[in-house]
Amino acid sequence: VELNGSVETVNPKFLSFFDVPAGSKPIDCPTISEIVPDEIKVQVRSIILKILLGQLPDARFEFSYEKDNGKIIDVEASCSPVTYSGCHAIQIIYRDITEKNASTTAEREQRTYAEALTETAAAITSTLNFDEVLGRILSNLHHVVPHEASNIMLLTRNGKTARVVADQGYRMYEMDTWLRTTIYSVAD
């Protein structure tokens, strides 16, 4: 709980969460304005003021916090008004959302990968034009593996060499003609 710009009460989890020495007095604990990154301090102060003035019922926001050991954690702060010692105060509940965010990111990447595979399968079956199929594969590859240039090589009949049959992004380096006319040893 924060009152008049200082921390009035905290639980033990707050102390460990923000690297505050055990046994510290609440008054020695950092306020939310001291915890959040500089780029959102003004916004957070505005939110707190609006809650205290009754202009906002509550607020929730996220930020990253660097612990003393250098580990970065993602934090969700939920702020709501409370009456504390007969005064308007702010109750802030902090939650570590690092794992949730990592899971969400991984899920989004998997979804992108699945969509790219679906689009590639559709591209392969939607035309009989070989060059068009290869071009569509390269276009969809960018969704799975971000890159500036890519190519598709096929083995020659002897299986010892390969040649580029489709490419994307090499033109800006003026390498597309060279790339298409070079035979590559598979042993290399």
Side-chain angles (χ1 to χ4, degrees), residues 33-75:
S33 294
E34 296 167 325
I35 293 171
V36 298
D38 290 341
E39 56 270 10
I40 66 168
K41 280 186 191 301
V42 172
Q43 179 186 1
V44 168
R45 286 183 187 129
S46 174
I47 289 169
I48 299 298
L49 182 61
K50 287 179 180 177
I51 291 172
L52 288 171
L53 294 173
Q55 297 171 353
L56 251 173
D58 55 32
R60 181 176 292 169
F61 53 90
E62 298 177 9
F63 60 94
S64 294
Y65 177 78
E66 184 174 358
K67 295 182 66 69
D68 287 347
N69 64 7
K71 181 181 176 186
I72 305 287
I73 59 172
D74 296 328
V75 179

Side-chain angles (χ1 to χ4, degrees), residues 3-4 19 35 44 49 64 77 93 109 125 132 149 152 159 167-168 175:
L3 175 67
N4 297 326
D19 301 315
I35 293 171
V44 168
L49 182 61
S64 294
I93 299 171
E109 289 171 355
T125 59
E132 193 174 327
I152 296 175
D167 66 88
Q168 191 173 63
M175 295 179 62

